[in-house]
Amino acid sequence: MPSAFATDHKANLFGSLWMTAAMGVFAIEDALVKAASAMMPVGQILIIFGLGGALVFACLARLGKAPLFSREVVSRPMLVRMVFEIVGRLFYVLAIALIPLSTATVILQATPLVVVAGATVIFGEKVGWRRLTAILVGLAGVLIILQPGTEGFSMLSVLAVIGMIGFAGRDLASRAAPRSLATSVLGLYGFLSVAVAGVLFAIWQGAAFVPITGEAALILSGAVLAGVGAYACLMKAMRTGEVSAVTPFRYTRLLFGIGFGILFFGERLSFSMLIGSGLIVASGLVILWRSRSQRAPK
């Protein structure tokens, strides 16, 4: 009995470290994409970033002898996943390009709340009054950050909200995706969706592409490697420790994102952002605690 506990504790410890690493590298990716947005159009960034990540995951899939295309790839859940990936990536990249990185990062932390709410509607999962209250409190935190109806409200912040909803839809669709698809294949088509988002936005925006300087190439290469590395760390975390133990460490992305925003982009935190982010994190932790307590043997 003690040895089993020690093994679980060790697995959860390493899982939490992998999750923290994933969130830190995701924040690095966001910061690099924001830096690149000052050098070239968003559509061009998304195309380069998407194709670069897709190439890496295609190589990983072939090394793992996973087929790059199968009937499951065009299944309904996968098509829905790709649509939400396009929406999430496009609007979130627009958000981090046009609003403070710290604001976009904080709003993104509401994704688990929307996933839980969506699971009740789509998958019929039962949500008690405590988790429902936590969801409402977390969404209230988003409203406090956005400050609608006040002078501090910016319509550009809505871009981050739409991106967050897109990522939540992607996560829900991923749950319904065929389990026969390898993680590398999911990553491949996820990044291809990013490239598609870039093409669509470039056509809509009509902005001419610019020559890629050495500095821009270095930044985008770093963003691609960060995106792939973060995705790999995330998968490692979810497969190492218990989900309920490692998932709370997703919120470390908030600390990394705010830290990078202050350090590299001279951003400042408002009182409303501190209050709103506190409500979002607290709500997410309550939902995770309730989920874990309900799964525990009685």
Side-chain angles (χ1 to χ4, degrees):
M1 191 72 178
S3 61
F5 175 82
T7 301
D8 291 342
H9 177 74
K10 183 177 180 180
N12 289 337
L13 174 62
F14 280 104
S16 64
L17 292 176
W18 279 115
M19 180 62 77
T20 302
M23 295 303 104
V25 183
F26 270 130
I28 292 174
E29 173 199 327
D30 291 345
L32 291 173
V33 170
K34 185 175 182 64
S37 67
M39 304 178 183
M40 62 185 66
V42 169
Q44 185 176 0
I45 293 173
L46 287 170
I47 292 173
I48 296 173
F49 179 77
L51 292 178
L55 178 61
V56 172
F57 274 113
C59 293
L60 292 176
R62 294 310 300 156
L63 288 175
K65 297 182 179 180
L68 299 183
F69 182 81
S70 63
R71 184 176 299 178
E72 287 80 5
V73 168
V74 291
S75 62
R76 184 175 180 180
M78 280 294 292
L79 294 177
V80 172
R81 182 182 188 272
M82 291 176 193
V83 171
F84 276 111
E85 182 80 62
I86 290 172
V87 173
R89 281 288 186 174
L90 173 58
F91 283 92
Y92 185 65
V93 169
L94 285 172
I96 61 178
L98 300 174
I99 67 175
L101 176 62
S102 53
T103 301
T105 302
V106 169
I107 293 174
L108 185 66
Q109 303 314 301
T111 303
L113 305 177
V114 178
V115 169
V116 173
T120 64
V121 177
I122 299 173
F123 300 114
E125 295 187 4
K126 294 181 179 180
V127 176
W129 68 268
R130 292 183 181 86
R131 283 194 287 178
L132 179 59
T133 302
I135 291 172
L136 295 177
V137 170
L139 296 180
V142 175
L143 291 177
I144 290 174
I145 295 170
L146 295 178
Q147 295 182 306
T150 67
E151 293 182 357
F153 175 69
S154 172
M155 280 298 295
L156 294 176
S157 298
V158 178
L159 295 172
V161 175
I162 298 174
M164 178 265 292
I165 294 173
F167 286 139
R170 177 202 62 187
D171 291 348
L172 288 168
S174 297
R175 179 171 180 175
R179 296 185 179 275
S180 59
L181 292 175
T183 299
S184 57
V185 175
L186 291 177
L188 165 63
Y189 287 95
F191 273 91
L192 284 179
S193 299
V194 176
V196 172
V199 171
L200 295 176
F201 185 72
I203 294 174
W204 178 84
Q205 187 182 32
F209 286 5
V210 299
I212 302 176
T213 63
E215 182 182 5
L218 185 62
I219 290 175
L220 285 173
S221 297
V224 170
L225 292 177
V228 173
Y231 191 88
C233 289
L234 178 62
M235 293 300 102
K236 184 71 174 179
M238 298 305 290
R239 293 180 177 183
T240 300
E242 297 173 298
V243 173
S244 58
V246 303
T247 299
F249 288 87
R250 281 179 176 269
Y251 291 109
T252 57
R253 183 171 182 172
L254 187 148
L255 300 177
F256 288 116
I258 290 177
F260 290 160
I262 294 174
L263 184 62
F264 298 115
F265 303 104
E267 300 172 2
R268 294 183 178 182
L269 295 181
S270 63
F271 180 72
S272 61
M273 185 182 295
L274 290 173
I275 296 297
S277 60
L279 290 176
I280 292 171
V281 172
S283 300
L285 294 178
V286 167
I287 289 175
L288 288 168
W289 172 72
R290 287 299 303 169
S291 300
R292 185 175 185 178
S293 62
Q294 288 184 356
R295 291 196 302 267
K298 299 180 180 179

